[in-house]
Amino acid sequence: MALPTPRPGDQSADGLLTQADLPAGWHLASRFPGERPDDASDEIDRVLGYDDHATGEAADSEQNETVDGRWRYIEHEGTATRVMIRLQRQLYATPEEVRITGVIYLPWRPGDPITSHLLRELPTAKIEAAINKRLFAMKRIATVTGNKILLPSGRKISDRDLLKSLGNPKQVPDFYELVALQHGKLSSQGDENPSATMAGINGVALSTAQGWVAKARSRGLLPPGRRGRAG
């Protein structure tokens, strides 16, 4: 899915990165990288040889996940450090996830050395986390109406129903939406392994509950899981 065409000179117009996604002390410049009035991300990729391994038909394939990466220019207010980060939507296994897939670091004064300490201070993980939290929150806001949760089928359930058995996935409408809501409810209560708790609530094997959660993630109903973390 191609990203929306941004307004001339406005890096935040497509909603991929906003000022609110940046930690304190960092600023999202209104202009695009290179002082350009338009988005030069494709040109930057070409100059860097970012996708040199994909040529011909492979480069144009829908399976080429480097397509539509977007470079965004941020500045550190205290040190005037200039950084370009490449934001890439992950379109397949986890449609709504955005990852930082490239960094260009420019010191305040041209010619100053780059040290590993300076690179470690770049808040890439915090920026990624903020972007994904915002995107997923936007997707879920419209489902909650008052004290009821409105499901896509039109069915309404109460918050307390989320901790009851979900039933048969082949017979229950909105089953994977319910899986996502139950998982989210348990996670918000501090459950460190919500899939295991879900298996107990629903009277199924752990592998079955994990399969439900994986399918909910693949549909964009849950954020992507983190490596090394249960549930």
Side-chain angles (χ1 to χ4, degrees):
M1 180 179 66
L3 297 174
T5 302
R7 296 187 296 273
D10 185 355
Q11 287 198 107
S12 64
D14 61 6
L16 192 56
L17 180 67
T18 70
Q19 179 62 48
D21 297 327
L22 301 181
W26 287 86
H27 170 66
L28 177 64
S30 60
R31 60 194 180 281
F32 284 102
E35 305 288 339
R36 295 279 296 264
D38 58 339
D39 190 342
S41 294
D42 292 341
E43 185 176 345
I44 294 172
D45 275 356
R46 284 194 297 271
V47 170
L48 295 177
Y50 187 86
D51 200 17
D52 278 355
H53 73 282
T55 58
E57 292 183 2
D60 296 327
S61 168
E62 290 184 358
Q63 300 305 315
N64 178 13
E65 294 195 20
T66 66
V67 172
D68 285 331
R70 290 292 175 258
W71 288 93
R72 294 294 178 259
Y73 175 42
I74 62 176
E75 300 171 339
H76 187 255
E77 296 170 353
T79 63
T81 295
R82 299 167 293 157
V83 177
M84 297 182 196
I85 54 176
R86 188 181 190 276
L87 302 173
Q88 178 71 55
R89 291 183 187 271
Q90 306 299 308
L91 302 178
Y92 299 103
T94 53
E96 290 294 333
E97 186 178 27
V98 173
R99 294 177 184 166
I100 294 176
T101 58
V103 174
I104 300 174
Y105 181 99
L106 301 173
W108 170 64
R109 185 166 49 201
D112 279 357
I114 301 296
T115 67
S116 58
H117 173 71
L118 290 173
L119 293 175
R120 283 195 299 268
E121 288 186 336
L122 294 177
T124 51
K126 290 183 179 179
I127 294 172
E128 269 189 2
I131 292 171
N132 287 309
K133 182 178 180 180
R134 171 173 55 83
L135 289 178
F136 289 122
M138 287 173 59
K139 194 161 190 173
R140 297 288 294 277
I141 282 173
T143 65
V144 180
T145 305
N147 294 323
K148 296 284 185 178
I149 299 171
L150 179 63
L151 299 171
S153 66
R155 177 186 172 196
K156 296 178 181 179
I157 62 171
S158 65
D159 192 62
R160 62 178 178 272
D161 291 333
L162 298 179
L163 297 181
K164 297 179 180 178
S165 176
L166 302 179
N168 188 325
K170 295 182 179 180
Q171 298 175 357
V172 177
D174 311 306
F175 181 80
Y176 290 102
E177 283 80 4
L178 290 170
V179 167
L181 289 167
Q182 187 172 84
H183 187 280
K185 177 72 172 177
L186 293 169
S187 297
S188 69
Q189 293 178 341
D191 194 320
E192 295 184 355
N193 193 347
S195 292
T197 304
M198 291 173 69
I201 292 173
N202 292 279
V204 298
L206 174 59
S207 60
T208 298
Q210 289 172 331
W212 292 349
V213 171
K215 196 159 188 177
R217 292 194 197 282
S218 73
R219 296 185 178 192
L221 299 170
L222 281 171
R226 296 299 176 190
R227 290 182 181 178
R229 184 174 179 179

